[in-house]
Amino acid sequence: MRNILLTMTYDGSKFHGWQIQNNAVSVQEVFQKALFQVLGKPADIKGCSRTDSGVHANMYCVSFHTDHRIPVERIAPAVNNYLPPSIAVLSAKEVPMDFHARYSCKGKEYIYKIWNSEIRNPFLHGYALHYWYQLDLDAMNEAGSHLIGCHDFTSFCTLDNREKGDFHRTIKEFNICRKDEMVVLTVEADGFLYNMVRIIVGTMLYVSKGKIAPGDIPEIIKAENRKKAGPTAPPEGLYLNRVFY
Amino acid sequence: MRNILLTMTYDGSKFHGWQIQNNAVSVQEVFQKALFQVLGKPADIKGCSRTDSGVHANMYCVSFHTDHRIPVERIAPAVNNYLPPSIAVLSAKEVPMDFHARYSCKGKEYIYKIWNSEIRNPFLHGYALHYWYQLDLDAMNEAGSHLIGCHDFTSFCTLDNREKGDFHRTIKEFNICRKDEMVVLTVEADGFLYNMVRIIVGTMLYVSKGKIAPGDIPEIIKAENRKKAGPTAPPEGLYLNRVFY
């Protein structure tokens, strides 16, 4: 038996999220079928996170145990052979048997892309949020600085049966920068609650609009109340960008 | 009566080229319908060029006469209202009555994107050619330098009933550069023959492979024979990038 860690990337606009579900095509389902073609039997795949419908991954990790003897450097090209163009395996390596793509994860980085222009960009439909009004990056960065550190992020979490227990997470990095019309928000944390990045983005858009002041953020965190933060931004701008082990 | 010049951009992967045809959705058809919604009657639209199925436009120009009194600055947002996300009008301006988007054009610039990596990029499927083997940019740039100037480009033209008369064109600029895995070829000319850029790209790929030497290019031009040049590269990497008047 070996434990294999695969790194992949996928265009989330073509899928209903990572996780297998009825009546909708998920990345996991398509990936599992391709892996089955290579290994000749089903593998129990551990994904590094559940990404929502329409969310993209520049980097996504999965691990699985196998007794197949395929050389590790052959795995990526072999699996890619059976995958559609919307998913690509970037690399594969052997890891210790107790490694788990989700539980061994030490942190993740997400980016959120915003096309900030009065005119839409046809090439970014489904790949960035189109936002008409000029964004106030200074205010957004000031607001974001209050998110850094270890906090209870209940106010930035969609409550459903997914989230149990501790709502503390540590945000290590936060910044928003612009290159011409493209604004990119980057946030790194030891872990993320359900919809956390999208609610952070929605809150930042409220900050830019003046509906929330940058100095209100500590109070919003302290409230531990989802209603105090801004709306959940749409999924199409969100990319899982890096996974740390 | 006024003559209006519109600048637009479109994602060619969603269309069967610019020109109206039976049984396939063209950019022109979709654009004409949107413009009809705004003007209340059909307009005779002149497009700056015929782009093939799957070819993109970062900039594409159309002109049309109208007696409608809509202020010129309202035209772009009004037409965008009726267009799908894959097409966007960037701007509109009034031009002299004898201006014609195609015949008044003094030159065009195309770019061709190549994803040069062993691993495909899911986000570039339909938006760049995926080319596995390491490209030899020095050889390609040397070969391309022989294309610059005024030549009969019969060898770089698909012969059909579209092309008549003079096959001389003047290439003003040619370069190929790389940023990480992305290789971009840029070519500017006073005009282009049918499939000319795609045949130039196919020829450059042959140069990189060593099937054609950079020094062979003058001979290939002189032959005035399509069979002497390389194959026609696929459309997905091609973008009409700039139109000069």
Side-chain angles (χ1 to χ4, degrees):
Chain A
M1 267 295 184
R2 293 182 295 167
N3 194 9
I4 305 294
L5 169 63
L6 285 192
T7 302
M8 53 204 268
T9 172
Y10 59 79
D11 172 353
S13 70
K14 308 291 190 286
F15 301 99
H16 288 262
W18 165 259
Q19 204 154 24
I20 285 184
Q21 51 191 296
N22 294 327
N23 309 320
V25 180
S26 65
V27 183
Q28 188 182 9
E29 179 190 340
V30 171
F31 176 75
Q32 251 176 19
K33 283 182 183 165
L35 192 60
F36 178 85
Q37 294 290 326
V38 172
L39 301 179
K41 50 182 157 179
D44 184 17
I45 298 164
K46 322 290 188 189
C48 67
S49 76
R50 300 160 299 202
T51 60
D52 281 340
S53 186
V55 173
H56 312 286
N58 290 328
M59 179 178 177
Y60 189 96
C61 294
V62 297
S63 61
F64 60 88
H65 291 168
T66 182
D67 56 6
H68 199 288
R69 292 174 172 209
I70 181 171
V72 73
E73 70 278 8
R74 288 297 313 147
I75 297 178
V79 180
N80 280 333
N81 247 344
Y82 295 102
L83 286 171
S86 45
I87 310 177
V89 177
L90 302 171
S91 64
K93 66 173 179 178
E94 241 184 283
V95 286
M97 287 303 287
D98 62 348
F99 180 94
H100 186 293
R102 186 165 174 208
Y103 300 128
S104 302
C105 178
K106 293 209 164 44
K108 290 187 193 104
E109 179 185 272
Y110 280 92
I111 62 171
Y112 194 97
K113 295 187 183 179
I114 304 172
W115 179 250
N116 189 25
S117 165
E118 280 177 35
I119 298 162
R120 64 176 171 255
N121 182 330
F123 298 102
L124 295 176
H125 181 64
Y127 301 99
L129 173 67
H130 180 202
Y131 193 81
W132 289 256
Y133 311 103
Q134 183 74 16
L135 287 169
D136 182 348
L137 264 64
D138 289 341
M140 294 163 86
N141 272 311
E142 191 192 332
S145 70
H146 296 294
L147 296 169
I148 292 174
C150 179
H151 303 288
D152 182 311
F153 282 105
T154 301
S155 296
F156 294 87
C157 173
T158 300
L159 288 175
D160 71 351
N161 53 10
R162 296 188 186 197
E163 295 295 348
K164 294 177 189 93
D166 190 14
F167 288 77
H168 280 82
R169 295 294 184 273
T170 301
I171 293 187
K172 295 167 182 178
E173 268 205 57
F174 180 95
N175 75 76
I176 306 178
C177 56
R178 171 192 295 280
K179 201 193 164 216
D180 303 320
E181 289 109 326
M182 179 61 92
V183 170
V184 179
L185 179 150
T186 304
V187 56
E188 183 194 329
D190 60 348
F192 290 90
L193 302 167
Y194 183 45
N195 278 345
M196 183 165 151
V197 184
R198 290 168 56 187
I199 297 168
I200 288 174
V201 173
T203 304
M204 291 299 136
L205 296 178
Y206 266 29
V207 168
S208 180
K209 273 181 191 168
K211 285 193 172 189
I212 292 176
D216 294 346
I217 300 293
E219 235 171 88
I220 292 171
I221 295 173
K222 215 172 146 193
E224 297 179 17
N225 179 351
R226 170 70 188 89
K227 288 174 188 160
K228 298 290 182 188
T232 306
E236 66 258 28
L238 189 60
Y239 295 70
L240 178 53
N241 199 47
R242 291 198 288 173
V243 186
F244 304 108
Y245 292 107
Chain B
M1 269 294 185
R2 293 182 296 165
N3 193 8
I4 306 292
L5 169 63
L6 284 191
T7 301
M8 54 202 268
T9 171
Y10 59 80
D11 172 353
S13 70
K14 308 290 189 289
F15 301 99
H16 288 262
W18 165 259
Q19 204 154 24
I20 285 184
Q21 50 192 296
N22 294 328
N23 309 320
V25 180
S26 65
V27 182
Q28 188 182 10
E29 179 190 339
V30 172
F31 176 76
Q32 252 177 16
K33 282 182 183 165
L35 192 61
F36 178 85
Q37 294 291 326
V38 172
L39 302 180
K41 50 181 158 181
D44 184 18
I45 298 163
K46 322 290 186 189
C48 67
S49 76
R50 298 159 300 199
T51 62
D52 281 340
S53 186
V55 173
H56 312 286
N58 290 329
M59 180 177 176
Y60 189 96
C61 295
V62 296
S63 62
F64 59 91
H65 291 167
T66 181
D67 57 6
H68 199 286
R69 291 173 173 208
I70 181 171
V72 73
E73 69 278 8
R74 289 297 310 146
I75 297 178
V79 179
N80 280 332
N81 245 346
Y82 294 103
L83 285 172
S86 44
I87 310 177
V89 177
L90 302 170
S91 64
K93 67 173 179 178
E94 240 182 284
V95 286
M97 287 303 288
D98 62 347
F99 179 94
H100 186 293
R102 187 165 172 209
Y103 301 127
S104 303
C105 179
K106 293 210 165 40
K108 293 190 191 100
E109 179 186 271
Y110 280 91
I111 62 171
Y112 194 97
K113 295 187 182 179
I114 303 172
W115 180 250
N116 188 24
S117 165
E118 282 178 33
I119 298 163
R120 63 174 172 255
N121 183 330
F123 298 102
L124 295 176
H125 180 65
Y127 300 100
L129 172 67
H130 180 205
Y131 192 81
W132 288 256
Y133 311 102
Q134 184 73 16
L135 287 170
D136 182 347
L137 264 64
D138 289 342
M140 294 163 86
N141 271 312
E142 191 193 332
S145 70
H146 296 292
L147 295 170
I148 293 174
C150 180
H151 303 287
D152 182 312
F153 282 104
T154 302
S155 297
F156 295 86
C157 173
T158 299
L159 287 177
D160 71 351
N161 53 9
R162 295 189 187 199
E163 296 296 348
K164 294 176 190 99
D166 190 14
F167 288 77
H168 280 83
R169 295 294 184 274
T170 302
I171 293 187
K172 294 168 183 178
E173 268 205 54
F174 181 95
N175 76 77
I176 306 178
C177 56
R178 171 192 294 281
K179 202 194 162 213
D180 303 321
E181 289 108 324
M182 181 61 92
V183 170
V184 179
L185 178 151
T186 304
V187 56
E188 184 194 329
D190 60 348
F192 290 89
L193 301 168
Y194 183 45
N195 280 344
M196 183 166 151
V197 184
R198 290 169 57 188
I199 297 168
I200 288 175
V201 172
T203 303
M204 291 299 136
L205 296 178
Y206 266 30
V207 167
S208 179
K209 274 182 190 168
K211 286 192 174 189
I212 291 176
D216 293 345
I217 300 293
E219 235 171 90
I220 293 171
I221 295 173
K222 215 172 144 193
E224 297 179 17
N225 179 352
R226 170 69 189 90
K227 289 174 187 161
K228 299 290 182 187
T232 306
E236 66 258 29
L238 188 60
Y239 295 70
L240 177 53
N241 199 47
R242 291 198 288 173
V243 186
F244 305 107
Y245 292 107

